[in-house]
Amino acid sequence: MADVVKFAKPAGFFDTFVRRPGPIKKNMHYCPGCGHGILHKLIAEAMADFKIKDHTVLIAPVGCAVFAYYYFDCYGVSSPHGRAPAIATAISRTNPDDVVISYQGDGDLASIGFNHILQAANRGENMTVFFVNNAIYGMTGGQMAPTTLPGQVTQTSPWGRSVEETGYPIKVCEMISQFEAPVYVERCALSTVPNIMKARNAVRKAIQNSMNKKGFSLVEFLSGCPVNLKMNAEQMNAFLNEKMTKFFPLGVYKDVADERAPVHHPVPTFDREKVIETLYPQAFDHAVEDNFRYKSPVFQKECKVKISGFGGQGVLSLGHVMAVMGKLRNFNVSWLPSYGPEMRGGTANCSVVFSHKHVGSPQADYNCDLMICMNQPSVDKFLGQLSPKGVLVYDASTISNPPTGPEQTVYGIRASDIAAEMGNQKMANSVILGAVIQMMQECLMNEDEKDDLDRAVEAALNESFASKPELAA
Amino acid sequence: MKRTNKILLKGNEAVVYGALLAGCECYFGYPITPASEIAHTAARLFPKLGRIFIQAECEIASINMVLGASAAGRRAMTASSGLGISLKQEGVSYIAGSELPAVIIDVMRGGPGLGNIAPEQADYNQIVKGGGHGSYKCIVLAPGSVQEMCDLTVLAFDLADKYRTPVYVLTDGMIGQMMEKLELPEPKGRRPLPEWALNRECPKANCIASIYLDTGDLEKVNIRLNKKYDEIKKNEQRAEEYHMEDAEYAFVAYGISSRMARTAVDELRSEGMKIGLIRPQTLFPFPADALNRAVDRGVKEFFCVEMSNGQMIDDVKLSIECRRPVTLINRMGGNVPSVEEIIQAVKAKLGVK
């Protein structure tokens, strides 16, 4: 004769709670009269009925339900206090076909992790949140919760919750339902049979929304904690039905799932060609062989270049073009900008270091070989960093008579004036670049290298402005 | 269109390139100077490859998103700077306790408090010594160039998987902001789903948690974790040695300050001083073997170049069991020690003119 099972666990639970350490494998750890047991059963039934056990991830909170994953026959993960919505977000995005349940208590959701739940709701993550509100901290021993009622005595409100000092109970459903993105928000109570039947429907609706990828659903459950509230069953139900519902009215706060299209998220690609095309840069013409080296003596040692001026003068892009030239001609090169608030108005400078060997310090802050100054404060601040035999190139439109040393070589270029005459003051950096190139060709290079330098400049401009071809032209 | 693997990138950008080439599937982060280019680049490139980018509501959410994605079997990362990392420490402890792989980039800036956005190396203690609650360690990689920002990010994902542990790439605002030429590595395919993942292709019994109420159970977990850290110490020490063959003195420096120290080696050598550089590329495990080899080969004194109040110096002293004098050469507040300063400090200590 077949066994007759009168009362059995829903199939959404493990038959034996193997994840639970210790000898007790058949019972839950919850206290008598606790709402978690009821809600667990409603969820387990729904998971079994909807046949989603093999692709549901349950996120267990900190609080009494910290061990929820002992019981549910699905994937489980334990969350730091309040962070479950962030974890749920990631799992929902990475496993978009899974049902992701964030199971949270009142301290977890409405206090320490409040921002996370608001933001996940506002992003409309495809997840189901079951929020257990029992107006008290259970696991930690009966302290005040964000949902503790005014006047309610707890360990940390021993004379009753004072609204003057601690404010009013936080109304989560009322808040979440104000956002655009969430599709379903309802508050239920785990008290009377009719209320529990409503809660059962709410659980199912929320899970179905997740299965249909409709986005964010939250169901709040007013729930008993007779041990910490020091009540018997009758008092507990009266507290839920008469006192809590006054502050936390039951009902549907939002239900727009039918109007919403399913959420779609991208699928990662690991196609080698697509990755190469996206990350590897275009190889421009005018490249040289890997063993190409300029022969001029100036390039046989590390070269330090400092470029400075006002923010907006193109100081950094001038340095960048030079760095690209170096890269294209097989130098090891570093380009170091000033950054941060300095960049938002005020002065800007960058260091470019070229070497055929390993570049040591990327900072051109002493013995610079070439210094380009595009305003007076730059001369005042940086000229001392120029090598005694270094080269100074400055904008003679704005700087007069920089106090250089006897062995330094100095070129004053009316860069801003020339740029203005050409119709665009912003081109002063290009004028300077032209001057530097000509200086290098005349003073430092042989005939072959002169021609090659022109090609390197052209290639560097093309590469630097590859995303803005009109500027390169 | 012809493509090349040679590219000029900022350090922060190179991290994202490395991550994508390593097959990273998810980036979760919150903007912060001087790490923001990582988020900017990730926002642009991750979705292009169908991978996931979320600007989280805060640092705490982003590290927990990493926890979630990693639990789901995905390669995931986040990035921030010191004060943001301080906020992430709770999550990092959970990730270490749950034995999940994760990659975290810390682009250090000046502290304490709001400090400033200039480069510092003062997160050493919080990153290398654990940082969050509990007896755990993270593997810490310390890139010294933009090339290594890319390469060590790739390595970080592999080590995170190999040891199921969080791995930091600890760098600073200057390496993050500077551009150098680098060669991009070959792209990797998707990492196979680990068997422990919360994924329908994996056993349904899978469960990820770090809670063990039984003190005996938790002690066993701690013992297992610390065995793992011993393995890491044995297998994963990495350091670059520069002119150490005949060195009588040695700099020990990582990250950007190692670059200044390297130039100082060149200049001091040109004046005849036999000095070298040991550049830790891993900070946990600290390259104690390289330091002890140096002691055995006759290094008389070490100089720690740091942009902090002297945090790595403790590990140098412990590694060589204080068998040689170790002198700190440091700047704080976001100042980078100049090559000249470093040289002067060495000469002053050794009484050389």
Side-chain angles (χ1 to χ4, degrees), chain A residues 90-97 264-272 274-275 278, chain B residues 19-20 22-28 45-53 69 72-76 188-191 193 199 201:
Chain A
I91 297 178
S92 162
R93 296 283 186 111
T94 53
N95 292 353
D97 296 328
H264 280 296
H265 288 301
V267 182
T269 59
F270 296 85
D271 167 8
R272 185 179 177 280
K274 168 93 176 160
V275 173
T278 308
Chain B
L20 288 166
C24 176
E25 295 162 81
C26 319
Y27 180 94
F28 308 107
L45 294 179
F46 270 65
K48 268 194 185 171
L49 295 175
R51 309 202 191 167
I52 295 156
F53 170 88
R74 307 299 179 190
R75 280 196 154 171
K188 292 189 186 184
R190 178 179 232 150
R191 185 248 339 234
L193 269 177
N199 188 293
E201 292 163 39

Side-chain angles (χ1 to χ4, degrees), chain B residues 15-269:
Chain B
V15 163
V16 179
Y17 279 65
L20 288 166
L21 291 167
C24 176
E25 295 162 81
C26 319
Y27 180 94
F28 308 107
Y30 187 83
I32 182 169
T33 312
S36 290
E37 292 83 3
I38 301 180
H40 302 172
T41 313
R44 199 159 47 79
L45 294 179
F46 270 65
K48 268 194 185 171
L49 295 175
R51 309 202 191 167
I52 295 156
F53 170 88
I54 299 181
Q55 177 168 333
E57 62 268 24
C58 65
E59 301 283 4
I60 300 171
S62 54
I63 192 69
N64 282 285
M65 289 178 185
V66 169
L67 189 158
S70 180
R74 307 299 179 190
R75 280 196 154 171
M77 71 180 294
T78 183
S80 189
S81 183
L83 44 172
I85 298 287
S86 302
L87 286 165
K88 290 188 197 292
Q89 292 287 15
E90 173 201 51
V92 178
S93 172
Y94 274 75
I95 292 172
S98 309
E99 295 193 75
L100 290 171
V103 172
I104 307 151
I105 318 292
D106 179 6
V107 186
M108 290 182 279
R109 58 185 261 183
L114 202 45
N116 62 30
I117 56 168
E120 248 197 9
Q121 296 178 320
D123 290 359
Y124 185 93
N125 282 346
Q126 79 150 332
I127 302 301
V128 177
K129 303 297 178 182
H133 59 287
S135 299
Y136 75 95
K137 292 272 195 181
C138 300
I139 295 175
V140 184
L141 307 178
S145 63
V146 173
Q147 179 75 58
E148 282 192 350
M149 289 286 266
C150 177
D151 293 348
L152 294 189
T153 301
V154 175
L155 177 66
F157 282 99
D158 291 340
L159 292 178
D161 277 345
K162 182 174 173 189
Y163 294 102
R164 288 185 63 178
T165 195
V167 178
Y168 278 102
V169 176
L170 182 64
T171 182
D172 61 77
M174 191 175 271
I175 295 189
Q177 298 295 326
M178 86 180 178
M179 274 189 161
E180 288 187 306
K181 185 173 81 170
L182 72 153
E183 290 186 14
L184 297 174
E186 268 289 301
K188 292 189 186 184
R190 178 179 232 150
R191 185 248 339 234
L193 269 177
E195 58 183 18
W196 45 260
L198 310 180
N199 188 293
R200 64 172 78 192
E201 292 163 39
C202 304
K204 185 151 61 69
N206 285 350
C207 179
I208 307 266
S210 59
I211 181 168
Y212 302 89
L213 286 189
D214 183 88
T215 55
D217 290 348
L218 186 55
E219 188 170 47
K220 274 184 213 149
V221 170
N222 270 286
I223 290 169
R224 193 183 69 237
L225 286 178
N226 280 279
K227 271 193 188 147
K228 175 162 85 178
Y229 304 142
D230 288 341
E231 274 296 292
I232 292 171
K233 277 188 210 166
K234 208 171 71 194
N235 299 337
E236 306 299 344
Q237 293 183 26
R238 286 170 170 80
E240 184 195 28
E241 298 183 25
Y242 183 60
H243 282 318
M244 285 302 295
E245 325 72 58
D246 60 343
E248 293 172 3
Y249 304 98
F251 288 114
V252 185
Y254 71 97
I256 193 65
S257 55
S258 75
R259 299 286 292 262
M260 317 308 169
R262 189 184 168 110
T263 302
V265 167
D266 289 342
E267 304 221 347
L268 286 166
R269 283 226 163 220

Side-chain angles (χ1 to χ4, degrees), chain A residues 16 31 53 61 75 104 107 116 178 184 219 234 272 321 328 341 349 368 414 426:
Chain A
T16 303
C31 311
K53 289 196 300 181
Y75 298 102
Q104 301 188 255
H116 304 308
Q178 293 304 305
Y184 173 52
V219 186
E234 214 169 315
R272 185 179 177 280
V321 170
L328 290 171
N349 71 79
C368 295
R414 290 174 32 257
K426 284 186 180 167

